[in-house]
Amino acid sequence: MPKVKTNSSAKKRFKVTATGKITHQKSFKRHILTKKTKKRKRNLRIDGEVAKSNMNFVKRLLRLK
């Protein structure tokens, strides 16, 4: 029986915390940063949490379900 592979792009983008939550990096912080406020850029540093509506899909990509 062959092994089931984890989605390679998903394992680079998502991280599972010790409590079982799945986090991701927020978008819009790569370029064109001059027009964005300091507050906005500072808040983009904090990792986002995967929404409940997408949780089953992301877990399936990471082979957690």
Side-chain angles (χ1 to χ4, degrees), residues 30-63:
R30 293 288 178 198
H31 59 98
I32 316 173
L33 297 171
T34 51
K35 64 173 83 169
K36 293 169 188 160
T37 62
K38 289 178 187 177
K39 182 181 179 180
R40 184 173 166 191
K41 289 186 279 191
R42 187 168 59 243
N43 289 332
L44 287 171
R45 280 186 223 146
I46 304 162
D47 283 351
E49 201 174 305
V50 174
K52 282 186 179 180
S53 56
N54 297 325
M55 192 66 82
N56 287 337
F57 179 67
V58 175
K59 280 185 176 179
R60 199 171 79 225
L61 289 176
L62 296 172
R63 297 296 175 198

